[in-house]
Amino acid sequence: MENIIKAAVERGASDLHIKAGDVFRARIDGELKPLTKQRLTPDQTKSIALKLIPSEEDRKNVDQIRDYDCSWGSPGIGRFRVNILRQRSSFMVVMRVIPFEVPTLQKLHLPRVIGTIAEADRGMILVTGVTGSGKSSTMAAMINHINTMMNKHIVTLENPIEFLHRDLQSSVTQREIGADTESFKVGLRAALRQDPDVVLIGEMRDVETVDTAMKAAETGHVLISTLHTPDATSTIARIVAMFSPEEQDVARSRLADSLHAVVSQRLLPREDEDGGRCPALEIMVCTPAIRDLIRDRNRVGEIKDYIADGRDQYGMQTFDQHLIDLVEGGVVTFESAKSAATNPADFELKLKTFRRQSSSASSQELQTTDGDEMPEGFTDGMDEEK
């Protein structure tokens, strides 16, 4: 098993699937590929599950396990986030590869504004996207940026702990749900009494956690967490919808005051020499104008236009703006970008418009440098020689 896992990691796998009645499979560059020819028996899969479960008590009760989360590591192979489940009454194991090295913003090809967002004094920073879109890596890069640049106390609540952060400029306290604290709710309430500057929650799953997270931001802390939402506007809608109808107006107002930024991402296959995958990001920073839109339920739909207009001044960007950059830079294909766009037809139209504008600007620049259309007062140097 360890040899197969090691080979998968060396091929750049992000996830491994181990299931009774099937071969070993690994997700490499977004595609699930078979690694072996021999199918696993139920007893073999159960044996692998037992090897990965860290608690002796849980191993004794393995036959009662239906869904189980843990982490597992082996020298020379790597660290993994492990989910053990039952399907057709047999065990299945899904392992997410966690690199030993904590990623940096530069290695993940994230815009510089992400570092600026991470340096906030207070407020909620939400990283959103579907499962497998790289949210954990982006959050780890943010924590690493704070850890290397600032003197802070960072508390993380994770299930399980993924990236291991050393104490650098900051002090990093990492707590695992189940092992170090009872739940996200209990751990978050306790974290606010532990003199934190930054709190990271692996995921905001319920209204109680969201409510406590907003309180943390309201009392002067930076809170970083994730949601499974595709973009900024749906993130706002999801959070407000967690509250009961009579509480939603107050929740909307609190969210407008406590939210600092939303970073939504999707992974696309790279077409340049680097290979692998790259993130496409929508970045929303809460300006006074955007806070007003969040408060007004009838104007939330206008947020996307404000994000697009805030690119130069605040570093914000829509998915379409970033996808156009990636296509024009030769990083991803037009087909990949179009399939990742929120509205593919709209994206295609925007790309054509962008190319026409770029072509027009290039033509005007060429005319100016030809010498025929020189602005008054400029010379090409020939007159001075004469």
Side-chain angles (χ1 to χ4, degrees):
M1 181 196 79
E2 292 188 357
N3 288 336
I4 294 168
I5 293 173
K6 185 176 181 180
V9 172
E10 288 171 351
R11 288 179 60 186
S14 62
D15 300 84
L16 292 99
H17 291 219
I18 304 165
K19 184 170 73 172
D22 196 9
V23 298
F24 268 84
R25 296 181 187 270
R27 191 172 297 280
I28 300 171
D29 293 336
E31 293 185 15
L32 199 59
K33 300 178 179 178
L35 295 180
T36 60
K37 293 182 179 178
Q38 185 177 351
R39 296 179 182 274
L40 292 158
T41 66
D43 285 342
Q44 287 173 323
T45 311
K46 181 178 179 180
S47 176
I48 292 169
L50 284 166
K51 184 176 177 64
L52 300 174
I53 294 171
S55 164
E56 185 176 344
E57 185 178 342
D58 290 337
R59 285 197 296 272
K60 288 178 183 176
N61 298 315
V62 67
D63 290 327
Q64 276 71 54
I65 285 177
R66 298 295 178 267
D67 292 283
Y68 184 87
D69 291 311
C70 64
S71 57
W72 179 82
S74 179
I77 298 177
R79 292 186 65 250
F80 303 85
R81 186 177 72 195
V82 179
N83 178 258
I84 299 170
L85 64 141
R86 289 293 192 103
Q87 67 92 37
R88 297 182 184 177
S89 301
S90 298
F91 283 102
M92 177 179 176
V93 179
V94 179
M95 304 174 70
R96 167 66 55 86
V97 179
I98 305 169
F100 278 118
E101 186 180 352
V102 178
T104 64
L105 299 176
Q106 293 77 19
K107 280 196 174 181
L108 296 180
H109 303 285
L110 297 174
R112 288 183 182 178
V113 71
I114 301 296
T116 306
I117 288 170
E119 292 171 12
D121 293 325
R122 59 173 289 275
M124 288 200 304
I125 300 168
L126 302 179
V127 181
T128 79
V130 300
T131 302
S133 59
K135 299 187 297 295
S136 296
S137 296
T138 297
M139 289 202 304
M142 284 181 167
I143 295 298
N144 182 65
H145 179 81
I146 298 167
N147 193 16
T148 54
M149 303 291 291
M150 308 174 80
N151 300 109
K152 302 281 188 179
H153 179 208
I154 303 165
V155 177
T156 76
L157 300 167
E158 303 170 77
N159 185 24
I161 291 172
E162 297 192 25
F163 296 93
L164 300 176
H165 296 272
R166 293 183 295 116
D167 297 323
L168 300 173
Q169 292 297 317
S170 293
S171 171
V172 186
T173 302
Q174 294 188 263
R175 308 189 72 199
E176 184 164 314
I177 306 302
D180 302 315
T181 186
E182 183 182 325
S183 65
F184 283 115
K185 289 183 289 188
V186 173
L188 180 54
R189 278 199 227 102
L192 299 182
R193 299 191 295 271
Q194 293 157 6
D195 188 31
D197 299 292
V198 179
V199 180
L200 180 144
I201 313 174
E203 187 181 345
M204 295 201 296
R205 298 180 178 179
D206 53 57
V207 67
E208 206 173 334
T209 306
V210 170
D211 180 59
T212 310
M214 287 200 286
K215 284 176 183 170
E218 289 162 353
T219 52
H221 303 89
V222 172
L223 187 129
I224 303 174
S225 190
T226 68
L227 278 174
H228 293 289
T229 47
D231 53 32
T233 51
S234 61
T235 299
I236 293 162
R238 174 73 61 84
I239 290 174
V240 172
M242 285 183 175
F243 292 84
S244 62
E246 60 272 16
E247 295 176 308
Q248 288 184 2
D249 286 340
V250 174
R252 193 180 294 280
S253 180
R254 289 180 64 201
L255 182 61
D257 290 333
S258 60
L259 188 62
H260 176 62
V262 177
V263 178
S264 304
Q265 58 186 64
R266 300 164 188 173
L267 288 182
L268 282 73
R270 297 183 73 101
E271 290 298 316
D272 57 9
E273 65 276 2
D274 290 345
R277 292 186 291 174
C278 73
L281 303 178
E282 178 183 270
I283 302 170
M284 183 192 80
V285 178
C286 280
T287 63
I290 286 180
R291 293 189 195 282
D292 288 342
L293 296 179
I294 294 172
R295 288 189 186 95
D296 188 343
R297 69 172 70 191
N298 298 317
R299 299 187 65 199
V300 171
E302 298 175 33
I303 287 176
K304 191 173 181 181
D305 294 331
Y306 277 76
I307 293 172
D309 292 340
R311 193 170 204 193
D312 294 334
Q313 187 173 358
Y314 300 105
M316 293 193 273
Q317 63 186 24
T318 64
F319 273 118
D320 285 355
Q321 286 174 323
H322 196 198
L323 289 169
I324 287 171
D325 289 345
L326 293 173
V327 172
E328 291 300 294
V331 180
V332 304
T333 64
F334 166 72
E335 290 74 19
S336 294
K338 185 178 176 181
S339 66
T342 305
N343 186 328
D346 190 38
F347 168 73
E348 187 171 2
L349 181 62
K350 286 179 181 176
L351 182 59
K352 286 177 180 176
T353 304
F354 174 82
R355 284 176 170 170
R356 276 199 301 269
Q357 290 172 344
S358 298
S359 176
S360 175
S362 299
S363 299
Q364 289 175 1
E365 188 179 338
L366 187 61
Q367 275 189 332
T368 303
T369 54
D370 279 344
D372 298 331
E373 302 286 335
M374 284 283 188
E376 197 174 312
F378 280 78
T379 174
D380 60 4
M382 296 294 289
D383 293 331
E384 289 182 17
E385 278 190 38
K386 289 176 184 177

